[in-house]
Structures are given as C-alpha cells and as structure tokens.
C-alpha cells in the first residue's frame, strides 16, 4: 500500500498542516515533506538490518539533496553515498563528517578524485582506470571497489545498473586481479560494493548479488585481503500503486545477513537506500490552472510538468494523484493530469478518475520525495519551485522558489550584442 496522508473535512493534511494552507502560504507548485515520515522511514530500514548485523546506512543523497532533509538524516545517524563532488560538499555543509561519506563516482576526472581524497572521503572505485589514476593522486587512500555483479533490478531499463556489460563497476572476471593490484599499489582496502539498480520490488536479485559478493569476499580472504564491510548498494523499491505490496524488509535483511554471517568473516553491512528513505515522505502540490475536454480525452492542466517532476515523462513512472482539497469525494470521470510544458510528453498521470476537477483545485502527486526536486529543471524557462518541511503542524520553507532573474544569473551577453 502507498503511504496515505491524514484527511480532515475533505482536505489533505501533511505533517498536521493543511495542503490548501501550504499552497496559500508558499505558492504552487511546491514539494512538501513530512518530517516525521522521513525519520520513520530511515529508522525502519536501519532497524530492519541492524537487528541482525552491524549496519551502516549510507543515504544515497542523489534522491534528494535538500540541506534540511540531509540534516534530519544526519541527526538520525545516517552516513552518505555521494556520486559527485557537489554531493560531497553539500553533505559536508549539512554537517556530515568526511568519514561518514562514501564517494561512488562514475567516469570521474582526476581533479574531482583529488578533491574528494583531500577531503578525507572514502572512494568506492568504479574502474581499473580510476584505480590507477587514484594511486598517483592519493596513494594509500581508503577505498572499496564497485563490482558489476551481473545481476540487475529496477523499476525500468534506464535505472538497472548491475547487469553484465553495464557501464558501472569492475567486470566480474577482473575483480580478484584488481584487488590484488590495489594491494600492491598500497591502498587501504576496506570493502566491496555492488548496486544492482533502483526501485526493485523483489528479494531474489539482492540474494543473487549477495551470493556473488560472498564468493568474492572469501576468495579475497584466501589471498590475504580481508574486508571490513560488504556494501549491498541501494535500490529497495517502495509501492507507487495504491494496492501494491511493500517489499518484505525483514525477509530481505534476514536472508542477506544470514549469508554474510554464516559464510564470511565480514562483520559489517553497508546499505545505500535513497528512494526508500525519502520517496513517500514528500508530495508535490500543484494547482489546477485549466480543465479541458478535448473530445477523446479530458485534461487537468496543472502548473507543474516534467520541469518539476520528470519521472512520468522520463521513465513512464506511475505516481498516484489525488485532489488535496477534495479528498474522499466521489470521482466523476477519467482525466490526464498534465503540465505547462510545450511537449505532448509532458504529463504527471494518465487516465485517472478524479472528483470533478476545477480550476483552483490542488493536485497532490504522491511519492515525490525521491528523484523529484533533484531532477527538476528550468525547461521552458520556468523557475525551480519551492520546498517546504512540515513538523507537528508547522511548515517551514526549506528552499525558496527561484526567481526569473536568478535563471539568468550565469548568462553573459558579449559586448557586440548589447
Ligand atoms: C542511486 C544509487 C543508490 C540509491 O538507489 P535507490 O534506488 O534510490 O535506493 C545507491 N547506491 C548507488 C551507488 C547509487 O548510484
């Protein structure tokens, strides 16, 4: 089941605050995060695993890098999985110490590697090229390797990362040789990592991946390379359809940790959930500007499109929608919920029954906390929207909506064109 919010008198309440009041106060579109739900999600996944094994949860912050959200997770004891120097610096700014951050870049430059190493952040190496370059840039640095397990999982082809031939990681048949080379180079080798993809809903691919990791760990141990941790990556899915079942976290945790504890001498499991932590903590609220009957289809036209939430257009992702000011009202007809971008691929939801949508209503798009704001853009010259955090009925602005002037700030017009 998807996470449902509280309703009072037909109005959606997020963290104890009315969605209608939030839009009146902060404008539309706006991403709204329920702080209590965010904390719950983090604690649920941490506890599911730490019950069985020493666990470090590194939040994969590319899902949502808002500083306030990062600070909340820092308070809960999260570490970070960062994929760029920008994410590393953002997390340092949010108060994470460098030793709680792991950097997992792909196709990164020497200068970025140097910056990350100089900050004292562990580097999860993605290729033999990166290892050889890092050996010159930061000899003896603390590292792990991302391997390509040959197992994939995810909500769509674009987000599956672990299959053979993927652009990510050390190919399976080169893993042992690469670790031996890393030892010769004098690296401080800490662990092994795989990330099979994003949004997977079944336990089996994780088990297949762990089997491969366990085998590698033992082979390395036989060569005198003992690892401190196994990092299973992220990718744990959440329900997006109202009736969809949740992944059985306890089954996943029990099976994976069993394998590690029974078959290896590794004592620590690292996991890197992104989506799982933030996804259902946040809704996107967007006002209805226009309602149109186009004959073969009826449209609800909102002020948020794929500039604000790209997942439907990019991945054909399903996001549940409701009218936040008409909760529980009888549905009248089927509509496509679409945005202000001048492309026919600009939509938020297809063929949804809604209760007599009218101009001025507020559409709530569920599960917008992961890969929502962080993938938004200025396309069609629309400024990035605001973000709001709600706790105990109190709403705080955690990102101002961008202004039109701010969209121009990096442009330069040559003298001859002025
Ligand atoms: C994106 C990513 C994650 C998080 O994936 P989710 O599906 O959001 O849990 C974890 N690890 C790495 C290396 C990633 O690139």
């Amino acid at each position: 089941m998807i996470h449902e919010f509280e309703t009072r008198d037909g109005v959606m309440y997020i963290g104890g605050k009315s969605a209608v009041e939030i839009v009146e106060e902060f404008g539309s579109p706006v991403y709204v995060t329920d702080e209590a739900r965010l904390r719950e999600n983090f604690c649920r996944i941490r506890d599911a695993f730490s019950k069985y094994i020493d666990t470090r949860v590194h939040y994969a912050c590319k899902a949502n890098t808002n500083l306030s959200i990062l600070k909340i997770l820092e308070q809960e004891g999260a570490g970070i999985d960062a994929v760029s120097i920008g994410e590393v610096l953002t997390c340092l700014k949010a108060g994470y110490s460098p030793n709680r951050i792991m950097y997992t870049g792909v196709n990164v430059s020497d200068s970025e590697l140097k910056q990350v190493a100089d900050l004292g952040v562990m580097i999860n190496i993605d290729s033999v090229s990166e290892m050889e370059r890092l050996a010159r840039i930061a000899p003896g640095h603390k590292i792990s390797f991302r391997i390509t397990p040959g197992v994939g999982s995810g909500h769509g082809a674009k987000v599956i990362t672990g299959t053979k031939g993927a652009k990510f990681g050390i190919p399976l048949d080169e893993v042992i040789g690469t670790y031996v080379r890393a030892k010769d180079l004098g690296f401080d080798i800490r662990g092994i990592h795989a990330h099979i993809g994003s949004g997977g809903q079944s336990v089996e691919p994780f088990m297949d991946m762990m089997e491969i990791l366990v085998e590698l760990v033992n082979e390395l141990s036989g060569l005198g390379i003992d690892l401190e941790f196994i990092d299973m990556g992220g990718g744990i899915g959440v329900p997006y359809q109202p009736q969809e079942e949740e992944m059985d976290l306890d089954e996943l945790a029990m099976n994976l940790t069993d394998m590690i504890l029974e078959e290896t001498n590794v004592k620590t499991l690292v996991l890197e959930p992104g989506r799982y932590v933030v996804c259902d903590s946040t809704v996107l609220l967007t006002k209805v500007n226009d309602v149109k009957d186009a004959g073969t289809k009826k449209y609800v036209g909102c002020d948020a499109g794929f500039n604000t939430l790209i997942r439907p257009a990019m991945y054909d992702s399903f996001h549940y929608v409701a009218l936040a000011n008409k909760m529980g009202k009888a549905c009248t007809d089927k509509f496509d919920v679409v945005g202000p971008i001048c492309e026919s691929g600009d939509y938020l939801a297809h063929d949804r029954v809604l209760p007599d949508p009218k101009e001025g209503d507020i559409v709530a798009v569920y599960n917008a906390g992961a890969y929502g704001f962080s993938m938004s853009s200025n396309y069609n010259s629309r400024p990035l929207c605001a973000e709001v955090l709600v706790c105990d009925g109190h709403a705080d602005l955690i990102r101002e909506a961008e202004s039109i002037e701010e969209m121009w700030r990096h442009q330069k017009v040559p003298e001859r064109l002025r």
Side-chain angles (χ1 to χ4, degrees), residues 58 60 62-63 81 83 104 124 146 161 168 193 195 197-200 233-237 272-276 370-371:
H58 284 210
K62 71 176 184 289
D81 177 65
V83 296
T104 305
N124 188 27
R146 177 177 192 162
T161 55
F168 302 98
H193 166 276
H195 171 66
S198 189
I236 297 168
E272 304 171 344
R275 185 186 311 276
Y276 188 88
Y371 310 104

Short mmCIF file of all heavy atoms in Angstrom, two decimals, residues 58 60 62-63 81 83 104 124 146 161 168 193 195 197-200 233-237 272-276 370-371, ligand 1:
data_model
loop_
_atom_site.label_atom_id
_atom_site.label_comp_id
_atom_site.label_asym_id
_atom_site.label_seq_id
_atom_site.Cartn_x
_atom_site.Cartn_y
_atom_site.Cartn_z
N HIS A 58 24.05 4.30 4.58
CA HIS A 58 24.53 5.48 3.85
C HIS A 58 23.41 5.93 2.92
O HIS A 58 23.15 5.29 1.89
CB HIS A 58 25.78 5.13 3.04
CG HIS A 58 27.01 5.02 3.86
ND1 HIS A 58 28.26 5.30 3.39
CD2 HIS A 58 27.18 4.66 5.16
CE1 HIS A 58 29.15 5.12 4.35
NE2 HIS A 58 28.52 4.72 5.43
N ALA A 60 21.66 7.47 0.01
CA ALA A 60 22.09 7.84 -1.35
C ALA A 60 21.45 9.18 -1.69
O ALA A 60 20.30 9.25 -2.10
CB ALA A 60 21.69 6.77 -2.35
N LYS A 62 21.57 11.44 -3.90
CA LYS A 62 21.11 11.97 -5.19
C LYS A 62 19.59 11.96 -5.28
O LYS A 62 19.00 12.71 -6.06
CB LYS A 62 21.73 11.22 -6.37
CG LYS A 62 21.24 9.80 -6.57
CD LYS A 62 21.89 9.23 -7.85
CE LYS A 62 21.40 7.85 -8.21
NZ LYS A 62 21.87 6.80 -7.30
N ALA A 63 18.94 11.15 -4.45
CA ALA A 63 17.46 11.11 -4.45
C ALA A 63 16.87 12.45 -4.01
O ALA A 63 15.82 12.86 -4.51
CB ALA A 63 16.96 10.00 -3.53
N ASP A 81 25.96 8.17 0.75
CA ASP A 81 26.55 7.73 -0.51
C ASP A 81 26.43 8.91 -1.46
O ASP A 81 25.33 9.35 -1.76
CB ASP A 81 25.82 6.51 -1.08
CG ASP A 81 26.39 6.10 -2.42
OD1 ASP A 81 27.56 5.70 -2.46
OD2 ASP A 81 25.69 6.22 -3.44
N VAL A 83 27.63 10.73 -5.20
CA VAL A 83 28.08 10.34 -6.53
C VAL A 83 28.83 11.47 -7.25
O VAL A 83 29.24 11.29 -8.40
CB VAL A 83 26.89 9.86 -7.42
CG1 VAL A 83 26.27 8.60 -6.84
CG2 VAL A 83 25.85 10.95 -7.59
N THR A 104 30.95 7.37 -4.57
CA THR A 104 30.83 6.36 -5.63
C THR A 104 30.59 7.08 -6.95
O THR A 104 29.46 7.24 -7.38
CB THR A 104 29.63 5.41 -5.34
OG1 THR A 104 29.79 4.85 -4.04
CG2 THR A 104 29.54 4.30 -6.36
N ASN A 124 34.89 4.77 -3.48
CA ASN A 124 34.43 3.47 -3.97
C ASN A 124 34.75 3.46 -5.47
O ASN A 124 34.07 4.10 -6.25
CB ASN A 124 32.93 3.37 -3.69
CG ASN A 124 32.37 2.00 -3.99
OD1 ASN A 124 33.07 0.99 -3.92
ND2 ASN A 124 31.10 1.97 -4.31
N ARG A 146 33.52 -0.93 -6.52
CA ARG A 146 32.20 -1.28 -7.04
C ARG A 146 32.39 -2.36 -8.08
O ARG A 146 33.16 -2.18 -9.03
CB ARG A 146 31.56 -0.04 -7.68
CG ARG A 146 30.21 -0.36 -8.30
CD ARG A 146 29.54 0.87 -8.87
NE ARG A 146 28.15 0.59 -9.19
CZ ARG A 146 27.23 1.53 -9.37
NH1 ARG A 146 27.56 2.80 -9.27
NH2 ARG A 146 25.99 1.19 -9.65
N THR A 161 21.45 -1.16 -13.14
CA THR A 161 22.87 -0.80 -13.24
C THR A 161 23.82 -1.99 -13.09
O THR A 161 25.02 -1.84 -13.33
CB THR A 161 23.24 0.20 -12.11
OG1 THR A 161 22.85 -0.40 -10.86
CG2 THR A 161 22.51 1.51 -12.27
N PHE A 168 28.87 0.51 -15.20
CA PHE A 168 29.27 0.65 -13.79
C PHE A 168 30.10 -0.54 -13.31
O PHE A 168 29.76 -1.69 -13.57
CB PHE A 168 28.04 0.74 -12.90
CG PHE A 168 27.11 1.86 -13.23
CD1 PHE A 168 25.99 1.64 -14.02
CD2 PHE A 168 27.35 3.15 -12.77
CE1 PHE A 168 25.12 2.67 -14.32
CE2 PHE A 168 26.49 4.18 -13.07
CZ PHE A 168 25.37 3.96 -13.86
N HIS A 193 31.57 -3.48 -2.99
CA HIS A 193 30.28 -2.83 -3.20
C HIS A 193 29.65 -3.28 -4.51
O HIS A 193 30.35 -3.52 -5.50
CB HIS A 193 30.52 -1.31 -3.24
CG HIS A 193 29.36 -0.50 -3.77
ND1 HIS A 193 29.15 -0.31 -5.13
CD2 HIS A 193 28.37 0.17 -3.14
CE1 HIS A 193 28.07 0.45 -5.29
NE2 HIS A 193 27.58 0.76 -4.11
N HIS A 195 25.75 -2.30 -6.69
CA HIS A 195 24.43 -1.64 -6.69
C HIS A 195 23.72 -2.11 -7.95
O HIS A 195 24.16 -1.81 -9.06
CB HIS A 195 24.62 -0.12 -6.67
CG HIS A 195 23.34 0.65 -6.87
ND1 HIS A 195 22.31 0.62 -5.96
CD2 HIS A 195 22.93 1.46 -7.87
CE1 HIS A 195 21.31 1.38 -6.40
NE2 HIS A 195 21.66 1.90 -7.55
N GLY A 197 20.57 -1.62 -9.11
CA GLY A 197 19.60 -0.79 -9.81
C GLY A 197 18.66 -0.15 -8.82
O GLY A 197 18.84 -0.31 -7.62
N SER A 198 17.66 0.55 -9.32
CA SER A 198 16.82 1.35 -8.44
C SER A 198 15.34 0.98 -8.54
O SER A 198 14.79 0.89 -9.63
CB SER A 198 16.99 2.83 -8.78
OG SER A 198 16.36 3.64 -7.82
N GLY A 199 14.71 0.79 -7.39
CA GLY A 199 13.26 0.59 -7.38
C GLY A 199 12.82 -0.84 -7.56
O GLY A 199 11.68 -1.11 -7.90
N GLY A 200 13.72 -1.79 -7.29
CA GLY A 200 13.36 -3.20 -7.39
C GLY A 200 12.41 -3.60 -6.28
O GLY A 200 12.45 -3.06 -5.19
N GLY A 233 24.66 -1.71 -1.73
CA GLY A 233 24.07 -0.66 -2.57
C GLY A 233 22.68 -0.29 -2.10
O GLY A 233 22.30 -0.57 -0.95
N GLY A 234 21.93 0.34 -2.99
CA GLY A 234 20.55 0.72 -2.65
C GLY A 234 19.60 -0.05 -3.54
O GLY A 234 19.85 -1.20 -3.88
N GLY A 235 18.52 0.61 -3.93
CA GLY A 235 17.62 0.00 -4.90
C GLY A 235 16.36 -0.57 -4.33
O GLY A 235 15.53 -1.09 -5.09
N ILE A 236 16.19 -0.52 -3.01
CA ILE A 236 14.99 -1.10 -2.41
C ILE A 236 13.78 -0.24 -2.80
O ILE A 236 13.75 0.96 -2.54
CB ILE A 236 15.14 -1.21 -0.89
CG1 ILE A 236 16.29 -2.18 -0.58
CG2 ILE A 236 13.83 -1.65 -0.24
CD1 ILE A 236 16.74 -2.17 0.85
N GLY A 237 12.82 -0.87 -3.46
CA GLY A 237 11.68 -0.15 -4.00
C GLY A 237 10.63 0.18 -2.95
O GLY A 237 10.66 -0.34 -1.83
N GLU A 272 22.74 1.42 1.05
CA GLU A 272 22.68 2.78 0.49
C GLU A 272 21.29 3.08 -0.06
O GLU A 272 21.13 3.33 -1.25
CB GLU A 272 23.68 2.92 -0.66
CG GLU A 272 25.11 2.58 -0.29
CD GLU A 272 26.01 2.52 -1.51
OE1 GLU A 272 25.52 2.44 -2.65
OE2 GLU A 272 27.23 2.56 -1.32
N PRO A 273 20.28 3.10 0.80
CA PRO A 273 18.95 3.40 0.28
C PRO A 273 18.81 4.89 -0.03
O PRO A 273 19.26 5.74 0.74
CB PRO A 273 18.03 3.01 1.45
CG PRO A 273 18.88 3.22 2.67
CD PRO A 273 20.29 2.92 2.26
N GLY A 274 18.24 5.19 -1.17
CA GLY A 274 17.90 6.57 -1.49
C GLY A 274 16.39 6.70 -1.49
O GLY A 274 15.78 7.25 -0.58
N ARG A 275 15.80 6.11 -2.52
CA ARG A 275 14.35 6.15 -2.68
C ARG A 275 13.59 5.75 -1.40
O ARG A 275 12.65 6.42 -0.99
CB ARG A 275 13.96 5.18 -3.81
CG ARG A 275 12.49 5.20 -4.19
CD ARG A 275 12.19 4.10 -5.22
NE ARG A 275 13.13 4.12 -6.32
CZ ARG A 275 13.04 4.90 -7.40
NH1 ARG A 275 12.01 5.70 -7.54
NH2 ARG A 275 13.95 4.85 -8.34
N TYR A 276 14.02 4.64 -0.80
CA TYR A 276 13.27 4.10 0.34
C TYR A 276 13.13 5.14 1.46
O TYR A 276 12.11 5.21 2.13
CB TYR A 276 13.95 2.85 0.89
CG TYR A 276 13.12 2.16 1.93
CD1 TYR A 276 12.17 1.21 1.58
CD2 TYR A 276 13.23 2.51 3.28
CE1 TYR A 276 11.35 0.62 2.53
CE2 TYR A 276 12.42 1.92 4.24
CZ TYR A 276 11.49 0.98 3.85
OH TYR A 276 10.68 0.40 4.79
N ALA A 370 11.66 11.26 -3.84
CA ALA A 370 12.88 10.70 -4.41
C ALA A 370 12.94 10.99 -5.90
O ALA A 370 12.00 10.69 -6.62
CB ALA A 370 12.92 9.19 -4.18
N TYR A 371 14.05 11.56 -6.34
CA TYR A 371 14.24 11.89 -7.76
C TYR A 371 13.12 12.81 -8.26
O TYR A 371 12.68 12.70 -9.40
CB TYR A 371 14.35 10.59 -8.58
CG TYR A 371 15.35 9.63 -7.98
CD1 TYR A 371 14.96 8.50 -7.27
CD2 TYR A 371 16.71 9.90 -8.08
CE1 TYR A 371 15.89 7.66 -6.67
CE2 TYR A 371 17.64 9.06 -7.48
CZ TYR A 371 17.23 7.95 -6.79
OH TYR A 371 18.15 7.13 -6.19
C1 LIG B 1 21.36 5.75 -6.92
C2 LIG B 1 22.23 4.92 -6.07
C3 LIG B 1 21.75 4.37 -4.87
C4 LIG B 1 20.33 4.54 -4.41
O1 LIG B 1 19.37 3.92 -5.16
P1 LIG B 1 17.86 3.92 -4.63
O2 LIG B 1 17.13 3.12 -5.63
O3 LIG B 1 17.39 5.32 -4.57
O4 LIG B 1 17.86 3.27 -3.29
C5 LIG B 1 22.63 3.65 -4.09
N1 LIG B 1 23.91 3.47 -4.46
C6 LIG B 1 24.42 3.98 -5.59
C7 LIG B 1 25.83 3.77 -5.91
C8 LIG B 1 23.60 4.71 -6.44
O5 LIG B 1 24.09 5.20 -7.58
#
